[in-house]
Amino acid sequence: MSKGIGKHQIGDSFEGFVLIKEANRGVTSTGKPFLTLILRDATGEIEAKLWDVTKEDEEAFIAEQIIRMTGEINQFRGKAQMKITSIRPSQPTDGVHVSEFIEKAPIEREVLMEKLTEAIFEMKNATLQRIVRAFIKKYQEALLTYPAASKNHHEYVSGLAHHIVSMLALARELHILYPQVNKDLLYAGIILHDLGKLKELSGVVSTSYTMEGKLLGHIPMMVEEIGQMAKELSIEGEEVLILQHMVLSHHGKAEWGSPTPPLVREAELLHLIDLIDAKMNMLNRALENTNPGEFTQRLFAMDNRAFYKPTFDDDL
Amino acid sequence: MSKGIGKHQIGDSFEGFVLIKEANRGVTSTGKPFLTLILRDATGEIEAKLWDVTKEDEEAFIAEQIIRMTGEINQFRGKAQMKITSIRPSQPTDGVHVSEFIEKAPIEREVLMEKLTEAIFEMKNATLQRIVRAFIKKYQEALLTYPAASKNHHEYVSGLAHHIVSMLALARELHILYPQVNKDLLYAGIILHDLGKLKELSGVVSTSYTMEGKLLGHIPMMVEEIGQMAKELSIEGEEVLILQHMVLSHHGKAEWGSPTPPLVREAELLHLIDLIDAKMNMLNRALENTNPGEFTQRLFAMDNRAFYKPTFDDDL
Amino acid sequence: MSKGIGKHQIGDSFEGFVLIKEANRGVTSTGKPFLTLILRDATGEIEAKLWDVTKEDEEAFIAEQIIRMTGEINQFRGKAQMKITSIRPSQPTDGVHVSEFIEKAPIEREVLMEKLTEAIFEMKNATLQRIVRAFIKKYQEALLTYPAASKNHHEYVSGLAHHIVSMLALARELHILYPQVNKDLLYAGIILHDLGKLKELSGVVSTSYTMEGKLLGHIPMMVEEIGQMAKELSIEGEEVLILQHMVLSHHGKAEWGSPTPPLVREAELLHLIDLIDAKMNMLNRALENTNPGEFTQRLFAMDNRAFYKPTFDDDL
Amino acid sequence: MSKGIGKHQIGDSFEGFVLIKEANRGVTSTGKPFLTLILRDATGEIEAKLWDVTKEDEEAFIAEQIIRMTGEINQFRGKAQMKITSIRPSQPTDGVHVSEFIEKAPIEREVLMEKLTEAIFEMKNATLQRIVRAFIKKYQEALLTYPAASKNHHEYVSGLAHHIVSMLALARELHILYPQVNKDLLYAGIILHDLGKLKELSGVVSTSYTMEGKLLGHIPMMVEEIGQMAKELSIEGEEVLILQHMVLSHHGKAEWGSPTPPLVREAELLHLIDLIDAKMNMLNRALENTNPGEFTQRLFAMDNRAFYKPTFDDDL
Amino acid sequence: MSKGIGKHQIGDSFEGFVLIKEANRGVTSTGKPFLTLILRDATGEIEAKLWDVTKEDEEAFIAEQIIRMTGEINQFRGKAQMKITSIRPSQPTDGVHVSEFIEKAPIEREVLMEKLTEAIFEMKNATLQRIVRAFIKKYQEALLTYPAASKNHHEYVSGLAHHIVSMLALARELHILYPQVNKDLLYAGIILHDLGKLKELSGVVSTSYTMEGKLLGHIPMMVEEIGQMAKELSIEGEEVLILQHMVLSHHGKAEWGSPTPPLVREAELLHLIDLIDAKMNMLNRALENTNPGEFTQRLFAMDNRAFYKPTFDDDL
Amino acid sequence: MSKGIGKHQIGDSFEGFVLIKEANRGVTSTGKPFLTLILRDATGEIEAKLWDVTKEDEEAFIAEQIIRMTGEINQFRGKAQMKITSIRPSQPTDGVHVSEFIEKAPIEREVLMEKLTEAIFEMKNATLQRIVRAFIKKYQEALLTYPAASKNHHEYVSGLAHHIVSMLALARELHILYPQVNKDLLYAGIILHDLGKLKELSGVVSTSYTMEGKLLGHIPMMVEEIGQMAKELSIEGEEVLILQHMVLSHHGKAEWGSPTPPLVREAELLHLIDLIDAKMNMLNRALENTNPGEFTQRLFAMDNRAFYKPTFDDDL
């Protein structure tokens, strides 16, 4: 069996099981039907073409189907493309499961949950702690499964929890460097800031936006939900308003989706920590696949920049 | 007694009762205390200087106090300024009340309420009607009293109700011209779109922003409140989501405070009707005080434009 | 015979007469010539491929030719595409005319002309009326035939007249709601504002920009023409200048093609009415082809938004 | 008699005749009237204060009045300000005329006219030449008198002609360097491009915008006038359209007032030459009053930059 | 003796020694000279007026002079202003020194130097370490004295070193959280990134821009100096180029002064760390002077936002 | 043999020698390999397809190989494309050299060098002259060979020298029109402003960006190099700083790559001259290939405008 899809190089041949993420029917210039498939495994994804398909093929090779295939990796318009040479649907006897073909956070979900719990345990402000606990309880399963975004950063299983835990670690250190910072407030903001995504995104496998997500967006949905939770818990006091403000303002600017900019120190810091962790996630993953002395592909969410990996990076 | 403050001209003398809207103490370059007052009556407002004030004066002439005064209207840096020549606080025997000194909508509150009720009565969609009725019931008194904004447009008593009623009339006609429009949805959106201002603004007399208003803003507050109201009324269904979307998107663009732009036909129309009514309110009031053949003052909320009043305006 | 082109669905077969709007020759990767045709009828348009064409085909199947054809509707890169299976030019005995294949305004041109005449008849300002009458007389035929734009909104036969008549109806109601508005001026502005398009656009069938249109644009051309018309009619007075200003400023901002922004109340209103009617035309037509519970295609001229059609739209 | 106003330094005393450009009445904090005057002579202008004025003073010291005065130049908020110590209106016997107090182009109007005539004489395209000649004839007197702008560049008597003549010299050289350029077209564009300012600006002494200038602007007015002139001269042909395009596009971008950008080589060049000559005029005049090793004042129309004058400027 | 200037409240009287930071002569409306002084001590600064000054006063009370004074703190246009009631220059016998009146970093310079040395000692890449050591050696004295900016953040004695040391602490933690980061490179970038300010700014007491600073700016100056230093040390290799890139790109965007954006992971991180530390410095200092439940003044360098200090800030 | 590639028209057949500029392998939808070649000669370039290639073809037809071929020019997606019908690598006996297939400046390099020398000879300021001479000496060969940019303007052999010489001619005339301009400074700025491109660009044949070019850019590299050169020549004085400023600011704005805008008259002029010469180069070359009465292709670097070539262009 070949190495994973994400490790391919142009010219390699490929053999193994992969998951069909998307399947679209096309017709060649000479009128013959073919399928354009997006194939993926835990290491990455690739576009593939299946030529001269029959009606049966069209029905067999659909999204979320696992297949066994052989093929060759070519270059098409500057991007890698798999040319499929043989293909069949996986069978129960193959013993493969969807979960094997999906990228996961580099940290186990149990560890992520543990670190979340630790942070909540550190909190001293009872009001903030109660609200946070209530949310964790309500959404625990989804929170440990969902990606942090449909693309760009932390777009893998447990991505959201990974993002939160990484931000909490950063917050802990920033609180030491700037002791004026209200750590409880910052922790609460970090844990809640993106929970609205659990309603905005459709799920883990082929992540898209829900109708609610499109018409409201995760930020106003979460602001509302904090208000409701406070009602349910009969919590009053400034903490609720400030938490809503932190969620509302965490994109930093109206143009970026926060109708109110951060107006509380911890809200500003939440925005900055979110930025750093998202960017480091994107950069680290792009540079991991880049050789020293070379540039990464252009990264759309980093202003379309291509980053250079210095040659002296490892020779300290 | 003189004509109202808003009808003054440079050089006029003035005698009568006015309300102090703001009072600030200053010290002249030679070290003598004075008061800068903003005076207002139902016709407009003006800055005034009271020179050589005593401790007693400072305590007597404060915001929301009615005074009897004489003065002279001068020009200072291109703007009118009242020079106070005599002044005394009003007394019970004067028989004047604060309400006489505040601008009001040109339509009586009873009539505004009637027109609101009529519009609700026209609605056929029971869900939308129930939500709207519940909000009107909850906020009736404030809704009939509040301005629509702290400045720029409909910034007078009952301004919000006036704005809503004016928009409803426009909506009724647009529905006739474009019968595809869902009138009930548009009506509901119009009535609810700015109710968040009842929490965002401090009140009628010296309107400012509440802390909640500054940290969240009227749009996210109202989106949340629609959700809560639906819960209380046990209403489910797409109407709730679409109403939240209409409120959320009614500023039209992220830069203008709507993190999601209008994505429903009636939401787009709500945004446009809001724009027209606000602009016509500003323009009509500015042109009312302008002679044919002249330009208005620069209108800040109209991109700082000065508008021309044609000479043939009335000679049809 | 099949239903119209605009009513197709992927997988349908098609048989009937259509008009060739554009024809371009291509060569396949194996060196064989083919034609890419844009076909249209009164209901819509579609791209089509005609493979393995002969020299004779290339000469026969050209723009503005009506053809009889059979084909099948496939999907290509997410868009519908017709695969032609048989094709022949129409013959006189087919009894079909170009006019049958072009979209028309939903209102008859006689009705549009009547409504225009009515509006002019309502005008009391003799000067404005004379200018407007003179333009209607000069351009009557073109005005009743031209689209309002080459794409985006009212891009069909009589589209310009439809747009004007629709705006006039809106103006009539706005004048009732805001009686300060000078109705005659607003009517005159509406009728004249886009007449420059009669020189800017090439015509009705395959609308493109004239050289004059590209180098000057319809706004400066119309400003000039109002000046000339006034000279010819020996009309003097502020009305001429204000009408020129209304045309000049009706795009609202320099970035949108109006070097001077609206500085007269009716000019501002003209801009807003133009906006509303253009947007409602785009939205209504896009939503007409969308099922409740779904989103329209992205609408380029509406900031590339896809609009949602609520499911409760019709169940009032 | 002192040196001119523009040559003053803080602390200087001043004695002589000056022209009142603007006069505004104010009232001191202690209620006493005073006048704020803008005084000018051919070398520059300065703000002045006249304290404790009588009714007679207010009537005597008005805009466009010449006065004889003594005073002292102080600094007020970082700017020079004249404190008037004595003042009287000029009398016929003083033998002074308004024209002595207004800045003039550094080149005599006869010479400017000569150079204009020369350029027209160089033109070979009869059509362009006829149009240009007709305009020069129509506007000769105003053209030789008007400034090129109300402020910023060439804002002095004959400023427009000076600007045109300077641009023509630049055009002559550019045509030699880039012989593909159509010199006649470029010359015609240069001579006509700003003639609309003769209608946009009120005149020479206290230059302001006319109503026509505010509502239309010099660019659309001149586009119209070229069309009319061509009609009067019965000239047809592409030259007219291209000339209108050159005027229309000479500000370069929609945001800067040209609804169509330059789409003809000579139109682009016209825009660039206009830019260079305006900027060099501003820079040269600002640096003339600056010592080597120092920075100029901030120049508003140069993006608010302060320019440095090198110390080695003269020691070549 | 009173508490420091930065601790004043409106209405307080003040007595003690202060430093004149700036002195400007003015003339009152009645022609009398006065001085506007900016006074400062280690706790803050305030504007002051000295009325009816003599020639001697003007010569005595100049920038960088220490004075002994009494006065009263009034409000003027919403800002505090000192009214001086008595004043005299300090005398040798007063035993006061300029250094007492200037704000200093909250950490001693010896400690700052120690922490800098530690960080350099941690570095393993010999090339980067040699360059950094050379710069520290060259600029040690200035580096430990200069502010990090002329205003906004770390604008106090040792501000630059304080900023660097604070960023290094942040970098150390980020390297632990994201171990892919090249710590040596990040440390080197942090230490060098703003050293160009030692040439861009004039010094510590009345910090302004040098001519070189205005015409080149600290970024290009430092890029050049790294190149020169490498030459002097005969260092070659990618480290030099990457260090220059880090300095060049550390403002993040062309609009903010970095002609090349960060294209190396550590350069992006340097930009983000710089942002966080500057913002936290501004926020912490503004909130230190704000009561819980209130907003700070508007902070110009934080997009003019006023920040709220929650009331539960301290009650964990 | 056919006319050059740049003179082709759709439908022409072609026979002759061309240079392969780029070669990329692709696979057709039916799995067959093909090559996409960019072919060029001194008159222009064209994309070509070579179908059904063998392993040998792939090795033979690579970048920088000269080939002899026949083909036919078709249209593909609105652009010309060569269909190759026969092809072979050139042989020594063909007597063709790479230099024949590369576009060159329209002026010989000897003439360019002469004109450069002349300009330097005109300079009177010894300091500026010494620096300029030293750079010319250091870079003479590259300077006479390199293009001025990798695309858009002067992108041909000796393009940089051609650009400089053209700008010098313009500067000479501007100095006559505006004698206040320091000609020596302007000359020095022109000659040095783009020399950094000799390090930023990879060379002449297939021009790309060097790593140094990507990470620093030609502007900061050249600022640094001027500093080093001055050190080497032991030159001190303001000339060095001002020259660095001229190079640094010559793109005019931060957004365009100049962190400091021009703050010296000659720097502003350098920016404007650079703009004019680059634009005229693009326009003249685009219009050369356009017939009167037609528009050029859209020019990306001219804001994507298509320019019109008047019909009366040559009939003066």
Side-chain angles (χ1 to χ4, degrees), chain C residues 5-111:
Chain C
I5 281 175
K7 311 295 182 188
H8 67 266
Q9 292 193 281
I10 306 300
D12 286 359
S13 59
F14 180 91
E15 181 180 355
F17 291 95
V18 295
L19 177 71
I20 298 175
K21 190 182 163 190
E22 274 181 50
N24 289 298
R25 185 182 183 267
V27 180
T28 68
S29 59
T30 52
K32 293 183 190 152
F34 66 91
L35 291 176
T36 300
L37 306 174
I38 308 296
L39 304 177
R40 71 159 305 140
D41 63 16
T43 66
E45 58 185 62
I46 193 169
E47 195 183 274
K49 294 288 182 186
L50 182 62
W51 303 109
D52 292 323
V53 295
T54 61
K55 282 271 168 202
E56 291 71 39
D57 289 344
E58 290 182 33
E59 279 155 22
F61 303 122
I62 57 176
E64 313 208 1
Q65 172 68 45
I66 301 172
I67 55 169
R68 177 164 181 89
M69 60 153 292
T70 59
E72 193 183 328
I73 291 162
N74 292 313
Q75 185 155 25
F76 183 67
R77 309 223 166 136
K79 287 173 56 187
Q81 191 182 70
M82 176 82 77
K83 191 188 155 209
I84 297 172
T85 47
S86 81
I87 184 170
R88 71 162 172 82
S90 75
Q91 295 156 2
T93 55
D94 289 331
V96 290
H97 296 98
V98 168
S99 62
E100 298 169 33
F101 299 93
I102 301 178
E103 196 183 357
K104 290 187 196 63
I107 301 183
E108 288 300 314
R109 49 183 284 171
E110 289 73 25
V111 181

Side-chain angles (χ1 to χ4, degrees), chain A residues 111-277:
Chain A
V111 181
L112 292 171
M113 188 61 213
E114 218 167 88
K115 285 177 181 291
L116 253 176
T117 312
E118 255 174 52
I120 297 170
F121 192 78
E122 275 181 52
M123 294 170 73
K124 296 178 193 148
N125 181 304
T127 304
L128 292 170
Q129 206 189 36
R130 274 186 68 208
I131 297 175
V132 168
R133 269 193 209 287
F135 272 108
I136 293 294
K137 196 173 156 201
K138 180 171 181 187
Y139 287 121
Q140 179 165 342
E141 180 52 32
L143 169 56
L144 290 175
T145 318
Y146 263 64
S150 67
K151 57 186 176 185
N152 293 333
H153 77 97
H154 298 89
E155 70 279 32
Y156 40 68
V157 177
S158 306
L160 181 53
H162 186 214
H163 183 36
I164 291 172
V165 164
S166 189
M167 286 171 72
L168 286 168
L170 204 38
R172 187 175 289 113
E173 299 308 331
L174 284 166
H175 175 244
I176 296 171
L177 293 171
Y178 308 110
Q180 303 92 327
V181 167
N182 184 330
K183 190 174 72 170
D184 290 6
L185 181 57
L186 186 55
Y187 273 24
I190 287 171
I191 296 172
L192 303 189
H193 82 291
D194 264 355
L195 289 194
K197 292 206 170 172
L198 304 179
K199 288 187 173 171
E200 185 186 51
L201 299 178
S202 64
V204 182
V205 182
S206 311
T207 308
S208 63
Y209 285 79
T210 61
M211 189 182 73
E212 209 180 346
K214 283 179 190 165
L215 294 186
L216 295 182
H218 72 280
I219 285 183
M221 282 193 279
M222 191 61 195
V223 169
E224 181 185 344
E225 210 166 336
I226 292 172
Q228 283 172 0
M229 184 63 88
K231 283 232 158 126
E232 283 170 29
L233 301 176
S234 303
I235 290 177
E236 279 180 11
E238 208 172 278
E239 282 92 342
V240 180
L241 172 61
I242 302 294
L243 266 184
Q244 288 181 307
H245 171 71
M246 289 187 80
V247 170
L248 186 67
S249 67
H250 85 269
H251 280 191
K253 278 196 192 182
E255 298 89 296
W256 301 336
S258 283
T260 303
L263 296 179
V264 166
R265 169 170 39 199
E266 288 74 16
E268 180 72 19
L269 206 47
L270 169 60
H271 167 60
L272 291 167
I273 292 175
D274 191 17
L275 213 65
I276 285 195
D277 191 53

Side-chain angles (χ1 to χ4, degrees), chain F residues 46-107:
Chain F
I46 193 169
E47 195 183 273
K49 295 289 181 186
L50 183 61
W51 303 108
D52 292 321
V53 295
T54 61
K55 283 268 170 208
E56 291 70 40
D57 289 345
E58 290 181 36
E59 281 157 20
F61 303 122
I62 58 174
E64 311 206 5
Q65 171 69 45
I66 301 171
I67 55 170
R68 176 163 181 89
M69 58 154 292
T70 58
E72 191 183 328
I73 292 162
N74 290 314
Q75 185 154 25
F76 183 67
R77 308 222 167 141
K79 288 172 56 188
Q81 191 181 69
M82 176 81 78
K83 191 187 154 210
I84 298 173
T85 47
S86 80
I87 183 170
R88 71 162 172 79
S90 75
Q91 295 155 3
T93 54
D94 289 330
V96 289
H97 297 97
V98 167
S99 63
E100 298 168 33
F101 298 93
I102 302 178
E103 196 183 357
K104 288 185 198 67
I107 300 183

Side-chain angles (χ1 to χ4, degrees), chain D residues 43-85:
Chain D
T43 66
E45 59 186 60
I46 193 168
E47 196 183 272
K49 294 287 183 188
L50 182 62
W51 302 109
D52 291 321
V53 294
T54 60
K55 281 270 169 204
E56 291 69 41
D57 289 344
E58 288 182 36
E59 279 156 23
F61 302 123
I62 58 174
E64 312 206 6
Q65 171 70 45
I66 302 171
I67 53 170
R68 177 162 181 90
M69 60 156 288
T70 58
E72 191 183 328
I73 292 162
N74 291 314
Q75 186 155 23
F76 183 66
R77 307 224 167 135
K79 287 170 58 186
Q81 191 183 68
M82 175 82 76
K83 192 188 154 208
I84 297 172
T85 46

Side-chain angles (χ1 to χ4, degrees), chain B residues 124-125 128 166 169-170 173-174 177-178 180-182 184-185 238-239 242 261-266 268-269 272 275-277 279-280 283-284 287 302 305-308 310-313 315-316, chain C residues 124-125 128 166 169-170 173-174 177-178 180-182 184-185 238-239 242 261-266 268-269 272 275-277 279-280 283-284 287 302 305-308 310-313 315-316:
Chain B
K124 296 182 192 144
N125 182 303
L128 293 169
S166 187
L170 205 38
E173 299 307 330
L174 283 166
L177 293 172
Y178 307 111
Q180 301 93 328
V181 167
N182 184 330
D184 290 6
L185 181 57
E238 210 172 276
E239 282 92 343
I242 302 294
L263 295 178
V264 166
R265 170 173 35 200
E266 288 74 17
E268 179 71 21
L269 206 46
L272 291 167
L275 215 64
I276 285 195
D277 191 53
K279 290 190 166 191
M280 290 309 290
L283 275 180
N284 287 340
L287 286 165
M302 299 286 290
R305 284 174 275 165
F307 278 77
Y308 180 72
T311 53
F312 60 91
D313 216 43
D315 65 354
L316 304 181
Chain C
K124 295 181 194 145
N125 181 303
L128 293 169
S166 190
L170 206 38
E173 300 307 330
L174 284 166
L177 294 170
Y178 307 110
Q180 302 92 329
V181 167
N182 184 330
D184 290 5
L185 181 57
E238 209 171 277
E239 282 92 342
I242 301 294
L263 296 179
V264 166
R265 171 172 34 200
E266 289 73 17
E268 180 72 20
L269 205 46
L272 291 167
L275 214 65
I276 286 195
D277 192 54
K279 288 189 167 193
M280 290 308 288
L283 275 179
N284 286 341
L287 286 165
M302 299 287 289
R305 286 175 274 165
F307 278 77
Y308 180 71
T311 54
F312 60 89
D313 215 44
D315 66 353
L316 305 181

Side-chain angles (χ1 to χ4, degrees), chain D residues 169-170 173-174 177-178 180-181 238 262-265 268 277 279-280 284 287 305-308 310-311, chain F residues 169-170 173-174 177-178 180-181 238 262-265 268 277 279-280 284 287 305-308 310-312:
Chain D
L170 204 38
E173 298 308 330
L174 283 166
L177 294 171
Y178 307 111
Q180 301 94 327
V181 168
E238 210 171 275
L263 296 178
V264 166
R265 170 171 34 200
E268 180 72 19
D277 191 53
K279 289 189 167 194
M280 291 308 289
N284 287 340
L287 287 164
R305 285 175 275 166
F307 279 77
Y308 180 72
T311 54
Chain F
L170 205 38
E173 300 307 331
L174 283 166
L177 293 172
Y178 307 110
Q180 301 92 328
V181 167
E238 209 172 274
L263 295 178
V264 166
R265 171 172 35 202
E268 180 71 20
D277 192 52
K279 289 191 167 191
M280 290 309 288
N284 287 341
L287 286 164
R305 284 176 275 165
F307 278 77
Y308 180 72
T311 54
F312 60 90

